[in-house]
Amino acid sequence: MPSVSTQASTTVGAASAVAPSTSSSSTVDSRVAPGGPGYRRMSLALFLAGVATFALLYSTQALLPLISDGFASTASAASWTVSAATGALALFVLPMSALSERFGRRTVMTASLTVAVAVGLLIPFAPSLGALVVLRAVQGAALAGVPASATAYLAEEVRPKALITAIGLFVAGNSVGGMSGRVVTGWVAQEWGWRVALGVLGVIAVGCAVAFRMLLPAPRHFMAGSLRPRVLGRTVRTHLGNPLLRRLYAIGALFMTVFGGVYTVIGYRLTDAPFSLPQGVIGSIFLVYLVGTVSASTAGRLVGRLGRRGALYLAGGTTTAGLLVSLADSLPLVLLGLVLITAGFFAGHAVASSAVSHTAKEGRAQASALYQSAYYAGSSAGSTLGAIAFHTGGWVATVSLGLLAVAGVVTITLVGTRAARAERRLATAY
């Protein structure tokens, strides 16, 4: 089976082999290329879909103290407004991917965003915490259709050499959405309360959803699949039986473990001495997400220079450096550490998720859905374990958890490197 290192050299051939437009060497590849008709519209549409998805998904995270006060509930009860959304997304991403195989990527993404933004407009009027949690779960389940379909859509409609860059722009939209879902709501809530803040975010998401539908070109290379459970099960087993895909799923989960752990507890650290920052300033820390926008959107160039394996090593090294720098009791160095962690995470995520789309020759939506499930499982694990580590051993313990996860990324990539070398030696022997 191909490994991480061999995938970089076989990407074009593998992706071309599954495209309907490349049935012969004399046929012109009709998929979209940078600078070609529709590429900018497509990239902007999926960027906006990423913004809306992550803004809605994490919209309550910065507002938990206010929500807790508003419903006279505990912090752990209020936190279900976040975990219900992310948990439902992880649970529904695979079924949504099956629907996209049958009814089309654009159709499923449009329906998903429509339901999610409609629920988003209802959320500010939730009469109780229980109702809010239920609405958030419905919203998360609806949003599952976007990550389940977006990378599969790009893999079918974009030429292989431009695929990583296109997926990087979608991931960049995730970072902008994740930032706005925390920063915008935090500042609005400070003046007018959490309900108004979520209402404002809902209106922004409506605008993103409408623009997405108007901009995204109709698919030209989609081929409808089957909704039969037996077929879906066979596809999932095939993907899980692929060693390269298993490695990529693990890499995505481990990177997200680091990211989830760090950003779950960074507010606690900055509230404590020696920093003692006010809540408004702490909320603005999420502007660091903009670094992820840059690193994700440039992942294609990074892979072009270093290969996928080299890009993963660099992403892991950058994340490690950020974790170590963040140990300093100096605010500028802590911020620098967050910049490096964010850059490394988003670059690694963009490279791994695009490699999944390259590797899966059939059932791309299911392959992407399995990656997303692992990714959000890593987010949940990182948030929980990061909080436990912080309350047990402080920031040093949280950083240690992150370093352990990065070590896992490097180890898995090394396994792929050795497998690739073994394949090359076997090939030259014959």
Side-chain angles (χ1 to χ4, degrees), residues 8 164 298-311 314:
I164 297 177
T298 58
R301 281 179 283 175
L302 187 64
V303 171
R305 293 181 179 181
L306 303 176
R308 295 187 189 282
R309 183 183 61 201
L314 180 59

Side-chain angles (χ1 to χ4, degrees), residues 52-53 55-57 59-60 81 84-85 88 96 110-144 194-206 209:
T53 299
L56 293 173
L57 187 63
S59 58
T60 61
T81 63
M96 286 292 191
T110 300
S112 293
L113 286 174
T114 300
V115 174
V117 298
V119 174
L121 295 176
L122 294 175
I123 281 176
F125 303 100
S128 65
L129 181 60
L132 178 59
V133 170
V134 170
L135 287 171
R136 289 284 291 152
V138 173
Q139 190 175 52
L143 287 171
W194 67 268
R195 292 182 185 272
V196 174
L198 292 179
V200 168
L201 194 64
V203 171
I204 293 173
V206 168

